[in-house]
Amino acid sequence: MTKLTHRLARVLETLARALRRYSRDDGKVLILGGVRSGKSHHAERLASRHPHLTYVAPGLPPSAEDPEWAARVAAHRARRPSHWKTVETTDLATVLRTATHPLLIDCLGTWISRVLDEVGAWDQRKGWERRLDDRLEDFLAAWAQADVPVIAVSNEVGSGVVPATVSGRVFRDVLGALNNRVSAVSDRTVLVVAGRMLDLP
């Protein structure tokens, strides 16, 4: 092969990789990372190329009782483009099934925390495991069937010490298992560490 042919082959391969990555970004993307890793910033940059987008916030609404949480929510709101629509809900399955525009869900960790509360996990109400399974299966089915681009942010919880409390261990185990299952049916999974993005094969 000539030098020109080699150069052309490299250019075509670079273009093919870019096209493959672009098409994967149009599917289902899971972005994992630790606290303050930059995962939300990366998700927002990835989502910013969509002219219409719904930002789904499943965490607790801000309140005067928790000023630190209120400050976090305010910082997230300030970063969002004004043309993004925001939906605050824990019913992620319905949002996924009815979406007509791309979605950014931030994040599955805050969602799981609220769902565990709603099903009675924290006070070990009878039947909470079954109710939790039903919610998770409904979400996973909706995620797999979603026909709009969707990005979900989630906490990577498997790298730290074993939590000292039962509730902490329940949260870690449930979210870790959910991350595994969401990743398995996603087109792309990205791990964010210290602001650096790593595509997971």
Side-chain angles (χ1 to χ4, degrees), residues 78-92:
R79 288 201 313 256
R80 293 176 213 157
S82 59
H83 63 276
W84 284 6
K85 175 185 174 184
T86 299
V87 174
E88 296 180 354
T89 182
T90 59
D91 190 0
L92 298 186

Side-chain angles (χ1 to χ4, degrees), residues 115-150:
V115 169
L116 286 167
D117 184 53
E118 290 172 3
V119 301
W122 303 139
D123 52 7
Q124 302 285 292
R125 286 204 309 267
K126 184 177 179 181
W128 73 265
E129 294 101 332
R130 178 185 49 77
R131 291 190 292 273
L132 175 65
D133 285 346
D134 289 346
R135 291 286 295 274
L136 297 183
E137 292 302 327
D138 192 31
F139 164 75
L140 287 162
W143 175 272
Q145 296 160 7
D147 56 5
V148 297
V150 55

